[in-house]
């Protein structure tokens, strides 16, 4: 059994880590570089950085923050925000990212997935999808959850896999920041659509939520934010609990 991954997510706005609820009500948390280093030293398996306003503001990714982080952090780093062409992939990778997450840019131009996978390899291409219940199904939103694309999530992530994405991040807008558990219903529906690794995001509130995630879904990794930012879960305690429940993790 492949080890399940625990991934802190750092949403960055104006050079600071922020966190909200249901993609709104953002509150300041900490310096992104200092927090990333803390998580790396504390036992996180990977890190995800999202420049959450880059697409909405029509600007490029924050490569300055990324470079400073890569100099001090030595676990895999995924970065997203404002990724719209292969040059943006190049800038992120050259600045220290191991993987690049594309969301709104892929919705506007799905061919970016094909081109990036062909140039840099599928292992570098992560399709991040913001999903919300709508019209009796699961609908994809873009621009930081601000725009309803009308795309059905199952079809979109399947297309992403076919185009060459090596990993999917499913962000449940319905459970984001609520801390009542991952969206297992959504994950059950969407993980069936693809064969590549899926990272579950949105809803982590306690250690048991991660246990339930890995016991009751096909997710390959669990992503959390505020539970780590505010010291509510320590990585050593979380991994010990997962191991005690028969879930393979890297200790």
């Amino acid at each position: 059994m492949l080890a399940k991954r625990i991934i802190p997510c750092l949403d960055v706005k104006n050079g600071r880590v922020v966190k909200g609820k249901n993609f709104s009500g953002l509150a300041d948390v900490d310096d992104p570089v200092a927090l990333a280093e803390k998580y790396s030293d504390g036992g996180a398996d990977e890190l995800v950085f999202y420049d959450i306003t880059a697409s909405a503001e029509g600007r490029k990714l924050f490569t300055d923050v990324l470079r400073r982080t890569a100099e001090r952090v030595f676990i895999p780093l995924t970065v997203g925000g404002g990724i719209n062409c292969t040059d943006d992939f190049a800038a992120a990778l050259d600045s220290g990212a191991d993987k690049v997450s594309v969301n709104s840019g892929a919705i506007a131009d799905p061919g970016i997935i094909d081109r990036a996978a062909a140039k840099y390899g599928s292992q570098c291409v992560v399709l991040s999808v913001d999903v919300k219940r709508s019209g009796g199904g699961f609908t994809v939103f873009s621009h930081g959850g601000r725009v309803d694309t009308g795309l059905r999530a199952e079809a979109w992530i399947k297309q992403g896999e076919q185009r060459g994405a090596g990993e999917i991040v499913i962000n449940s807008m319905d459970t984001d920041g609520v801390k009542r558990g991952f969206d297992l219903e959504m994950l059950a529906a969407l993980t069936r659509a693809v064969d590549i690794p899926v990272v579950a995001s949105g809803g982590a509130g306690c250690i048991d939520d991660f246990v339930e995630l890995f016991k009751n879904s096909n997710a390959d990794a669990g992503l959390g934010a505020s539970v780590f930012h505010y010291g509510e879960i320590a990585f050593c305690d979380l991994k010990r609990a997962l191991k005690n429940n028969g879930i393979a993790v890297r200790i």
Side-chain angles (χ1 to χ4, degrees):
M1 179 187 297
L2 291 176
K4 302 297 185 179
R5 292 170 285 148
I6 304 300
I7 307 175
C9 176
L10 289 76
D11 291 334
V12 180
K13 180 180 180 181
N14 298 326
R16 297 284 295 179
V17 176
V18 296
K19 188 68 187 84
K21 182 177 179 180
N22 301 127
F23 280 45
S24 63
L26 300 177
D28 183 82
V29 176
D30 205 340
D31 173 71
V33 181
L35 201 55
E37 188 172 24
K38 174 184 174 182
Y39 291 157
S40 178
D41 293 342
D45 295 305
E46 299 183 15
L47 290 173
V48 171
F49 265 59
Y50 287 134
D51 187 343
I52 61 172
T53 57
S55 291
E57 295 172 359
R59 59 174 172 77
K60 297 296 184 181
L61 181 76
F62 53 9
T63 53
D64 57 332
V65 172
L66 178 54
R67 287 184 188 279
R68 288 188 287 119
T69 302
E71 290 172 357
R72 297 166 62 177
V73 169
F74 303 101
I75 56 177
L77 178 60
T78 299
V79 179
I83 305 297
N84 297 298
C85 61
T86 53
D87 286 347
D88 294 333
F89 271 80
L93 294 169
D94 289 345
S95 298
D98 298 281
K99 295 184 279 188
V100 181
S101 176
V102 61
N103 188 329
S104 300
I107 293 169
D109 175 17
I112 189 177
I113 302 174
D114 306 71
R115 296 190 297 274
K119 191 168 185 177
Y120 301 111
S122 291
Q123 78 283 352
C124 290
V125 182
V126 178
L127 178 61
S128 181
V129 188
D130 300 330
V131 186
K132 187 176 182 179
R133 287 167 176 78
S134 177
F138 301 110
T139 301
V140 176
F141 282 68
S142 67
H143 295 82
R146 297 172 181 83
V147 178
D148 183 346
T149 68
L151 291 170
R152 304 312 278 177
E154 295 95 328
W156 175 233
I157 64 173
K158 187 175 294 185
Q159 181 183 162
E161 178 183 34
Q162 292 168 346
R163 287 182 175 275
E167 185 170 83
I168 303 287
V169 178
I170 296 173
N171 309 299
S172 172
M173 295 177 62
D174 296 315
T175 61
D176 174 70
V178 177
K179 294 187 177 181
R180 294 179 182 172
F182 290 93
D183 199 329
L184 298 180
E185 179 188 26
M186 180 182 291
L187 291 166
L190 299 186
T191 55
R192 287 196 297 265
V194 294
D195 294 319
I196 55 178
V198 170
V199 179
S201 172
C206 63
I207 285 176
D208 285 346
D209 291 337
F210 285 91
V211 174
E212 290 300 311
L213 170 69
F214 294 129
K215 279 192 167 184
N216 297 304
S217 83
N218 291 321
D220 298 271
L223 186 148
S226 56
V227 290
F228 301 131
H229 298 342
Y230 300 123
E232 297 166 27
I233 297 178
F235 298 109
C236 58
D237 295 337
L238 172 54
K239 290 190 173 184
R240 187 180 305 114
L242 292 171
K243 185 177 180 181
N244 289 341
N245 279 273
I247 298 163
V249 292
R250 298 181 184 90
I251 301 297

